[in-house]
């Protein structure tokens, strides 16, 4: 087998398949809720072998195992909070049209919010982040794909060493790359806080990033702070830098698109 790729049959995923040379009639007929399995092989018998393994994985460990380990489920916030036993964070992964309402419910219950959901209106993002700021909480997202909170990986995240570096990123792939390089170099991460890609826009004003910097600065386990962002609005970037200039801990910044030629006291611009 030269290559196997398994993704849902969404239009975006189908475009990825086609750009890789896998344009077939079956792919054209795939619907967003279908699982598409592409096998590139010189031995057709391998296709059946791959399909058997995919089927086995989808079936899991069997119904009997599932029944013996069945978890309690909650259909309302009160029951969820009771089952979770004094939680402080809610991970929300539902269609965007409902995500803002549930994020607001989480904030009202004094929970930090990790919002994996996308397609949330920017006005809702600003409103929720301001509400979180006033309550001393964080809204990570929307469209926050990756995070590590007190060494616990959330959503789509690599498992990395625990350590004393804190990362804040308005770029999920940026967090992924930096944290895995840190791990490869033998160091570790205590927190990697995703803000969502729009946090450093003019409208949002880096609400989550600014509060995250203050949180990591106050965390005695964090010795170094790393700040990563897709190209930020210029005035918002300056607001973030002004806060970092008042941080005593060493800071590394990486704003995509900028080519810094200098460093500042305690701030290393990559």
């Amino acid at each position: 087998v030269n290559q196997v790729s398994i993704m849902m049959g969404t239009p975006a995923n189908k475009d990825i398949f086609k750009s890789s040379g896998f344009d077939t009639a079956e792919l054209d007929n795939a619907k967003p809720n279908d699982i598409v399995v592409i096998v590139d092989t010189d031995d057709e018998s391998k296709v059946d072998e791959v399909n058997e393994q995919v089927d086995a994985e989808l079936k899991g460990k069997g119904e009997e195992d599932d029944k013996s380990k069945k978890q309690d489920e909650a259909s309302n916030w009160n029951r969820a909070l009771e089952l979770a036993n004094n939680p402080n964070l809610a991970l929300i992964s539902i269609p965007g049209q409902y995500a803002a309402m549930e994020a607001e419910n989480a904030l009202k219950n004094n929970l930090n919010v990790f919002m994996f959901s996308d397609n949330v209106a920017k006005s809702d993002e600003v409103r929720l982040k301001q509400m979180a700021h006033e309550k001393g909480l964080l809204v990570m997202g929307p469209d926050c794909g990756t995070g590590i909170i007190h060494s616990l990986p959330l959503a789509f995240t690599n498992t990395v060493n625990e350590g004393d570096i804190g990362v804040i990123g308005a770029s999920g792939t940026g967090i992924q790359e930096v944290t895995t390089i840190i791990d490869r170099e033998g160091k570790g991460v205590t927190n990697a806080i995703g803000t969502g890609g729009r946090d450093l826009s003019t409208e949002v004003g880096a609400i989550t990033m600014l509060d995250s910097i203050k949180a990591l600065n106050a965390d005695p386990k964090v010795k170094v702070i790393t700040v990563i962002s897709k190209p930020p609005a210029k005035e918002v970037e300056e607001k973030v830098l002004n806060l970092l200039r008042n941080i005593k801990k060493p800071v590394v910044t990486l704003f995509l698109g900028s080519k810094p030629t200098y460093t500042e006291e305690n701030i290393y611009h990559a």
Side-chain angles (χ1 to χ4, degrees):
V1 174
N2 302 315
Q3 181 182 344
V4 174
S5 187
I6 304 174
M7 294 192 286
M8 302 303 289
T10 63
N13 287 345
K14 287 162 75 169
D15 287 343
I16 293 171
F17 280 131
K18 289 175 182 178
S19 67
S20 302
F22 299 123
D23 192 356
T24 69
E26 292 91 344
L27 179 65
D28 287 337
N29 292 329
K31 303 291 191 296
N33 282 331
D34 292 332
I35 293 179
V36 179
V37 183
I38 298 282
V39 184
D40 174 15
T41 177
D42 303 318
D43 180 356
E44 199 162 327
S45 67
K46 292 292 179 185
V47 176
D48 293 334
E49 193 178 326
V50 170
N51 274 332
E52 285 171 11
Q53 291 193 39
V54 170
D55 286 341
E57 288 293 332
L58 289 173
K59 287 175 184 172
K61 296 178 182 177
E63 290 184 11
E64 290 307 311
D65 287 354
D66 289 344
K67 285 176 184 174
S68 64
K69 296 181 179 178
K70 184 168 174 56
Q71 291 183 308
D72 289 328
E73 293 182 357
S75 59
N76 59 66
W77 274 99
N78 288 338
R79 180 61 177 149
L81 293 167
E82 183 182 314
L83 287 172
N85 190 21
N86 196 30
N88 62 10
L89 184 146
L91 193 156
I92 295 176
S93 179
I94 55 177
Q97 67 192 91
Y98 310 113
M101 179 178 70
E102 296 303 349
E104 185 169 345
N105 280 331
L107 292 171
K108 286 178 177 175
N109 282 288
N110 294 314
L111 300 175
N112 296 284
V113 172
F114 184 103
M115 198 186 301
F116 192 79
S117 306
D118 58 3
N119 295 318
V120 175
K122 191 178 279 189
S123 57
D124 284 329
E125 178 176 349
V126 173
R127 178 177 61 82
L128 291 167
K129 288 185 171 180
Q130 287 175 340
M131 181 179 174
H133 172 75
E134 289 163 9
K135 293 172 74 71
L137 299 168
L138 290 179
V139 170
M140 294 162 266
D143 198 16
C144 186
T146 186
I148 301 170
I149 304 299
H150 294 302
S151 304
L152 178 71
L154 297 177
F156 187 80
T157 305
N158 294 303
T159 301
V160 299
N161 290 328
E162 184 175 353
D164 57 10
I165 299 172
V167 180
I168 307 161
S171 166
T173 49
I175 289 176
Q176 289 275 17
E177 182 166 3
V178 170
T179 54
T180 50
I181 291 172
I182 288 170
D183 180 89
R184 198 179 306 142
E185 294 292 330
K187 302 297 182 182
V189 174
T190 178
N191 290 289
I193 301 173
T195 67
R198 301 185 301 200
D199 194 66
L200 274 72
S201 65
T202 301
E203 298 91 330
V204 184
I207 297 171
T208 297
M209 180 164 282
L210 294 171
D211 285 346
S212 299
I213 291 168
K214 292 172 186 173
L216 294 188
N217 188 49
D219 186 345
K221 292 183 179 178
V222 176
K223 304 301 182 193
V224 178
I225 297 173
T226 303
V227 173
I228 307 164
S229 177
K230 297 171 184 174
K234 202 63 197 168
E235 71 276 12
V236 178
E237 179 182 348
E238 202 54 41
K239 190 192 297 187
V240 171
L241 289 172
N242 284 336
L243 174 59
L244 292 174
R245 289 175 183 126
N246 290 300
I247 298 293
K248 293 289 189 284
K249 297 177 181 180
V251 176
V252 179
T253 70
L254 175 56
F255 296 109
L256 293 181
S258 65
K259 303 288 183 186
T261 56
Y262 67 97
T263 60
E264 305 179 44
E265 185 180 4
N266 263 14
I267 303 181
Y268 303 86
H269 300 295

